[in-house]
Amino acid sequence: MGTGIHQVHVCASRSDVWSFIRDLNAWAPLVPGYKEHSIISDTQSTWKFIVHYGMLTKKIHVQVLITEWTAPSEVKFTLDGINQRFTGKGYFNAVEVNPVVTEMTGSLTIQSTSPMAKLLQSTFDKMVVDLTRELTIAVGEAIERESS
């Protein structure tokens, strides 16, 4: 099982951070390797992206289910692979440091049942850590651009 967690300080109010992470259309395109996504409802969407996994490149199609919206600080979600065998969960959390700085945490845990993932477990674990870091940083930077 790969787990990543990353924190960034965002130069924006917690309400600005919440406005951004509350909108899947705002941050879905920031997933590394993003290709497209479709919103099915307030809680369901499907996303397509490409990941680099060791020397392999995989097209991933995933169903994302929002399991909790806790305004103004947290969104939690689960992931289910549509074309690959994996499940996962994650969240974005926002804690006000002061009125113009928010500490945002991104977390992602993915468990693959694929024989290839078990063979390349350390590479898989590193990929999840890197994906979490890159996404959290990209979301923080996008929020700062939007709120400045």
Side-chain angles (χ1 to χ4, degrees):
M1 178 182 319
T3 300
I5 188 164
H6 192 77
Q7 291 181 333
V8 294
H9 280 91
V10 180
C11 293
S13 69
R14 185 167 70 167
S15 65
D16 287 343
V17 171
W18 173 250
S19 293
F20 192 89
I21 63 174
R22 174 72 174 95
D23 180 4
L24 294 179
N25 289 316
W27 59 271
L30 301 175
V31 173
Y34 172 85
K35 292 296 177 195
E36 65 181 87
H37 74 282
S38 298
I39 302 294
I40 298 166
S41 71
D42 283 347
T43 59
Q44 291 182 313
S45 59
T46 59
W47 302 12
K48 292 182 181 179
F49 50 96
I50 294 175
V51 296
H52 302 286
Y53 178 47
M55 296 189 320
L56 303 172
T57 299
K58 292 276 189 185
K59 293 179 182 177
I60 305 293
H61 190 187
V62 62
Q63 179 165 333
V64 178
L65 177 65
I66 302 299
T67 58
E68 188 176 325
W69 295 112
T70 306
S73 60
E74 190 167 53
V75 58
K76 292 182 179 181
F77 54 89
T78 60
L79 309 169
D80 283 304
I82 294 172
N83 70 331
Q84 300 290 324
R85 295 182 344 200
F86 70 90
T87 60
K89 62 183 179 178
Y91 65 83
F92 280 108
N93 180 276
V95 175
E96 184 177 87
V97 174
N98 63 50
V100 295
V101 176
T102 302
E103 181 179 83
M104 186 182 70
T105 303
S107 175
L108 185 61
T109 299
I110 299 175
Q111 181 166 356
S112 177
T113 56
S114 155
M116 185 62 73
K118 297 203 182 295
L119 182 65
L120 299 171
Q121 189 66 48
S122 64
T123 303
F124 178 77
D125 292 348
K126 183 180 181 332
M127 186 245 343
V128 174
V129 169
D130 291 346
L131 178 69
T132 305
R133 185 187 74 250
E134 291 171 23
L135 177 58
T136 304
I137 291 169
V139 169
E141 289 173 349
I143 292 167
E144 288 178 344
R145 279 192 305 274
E146 197 169 278
S147 66
S148 61

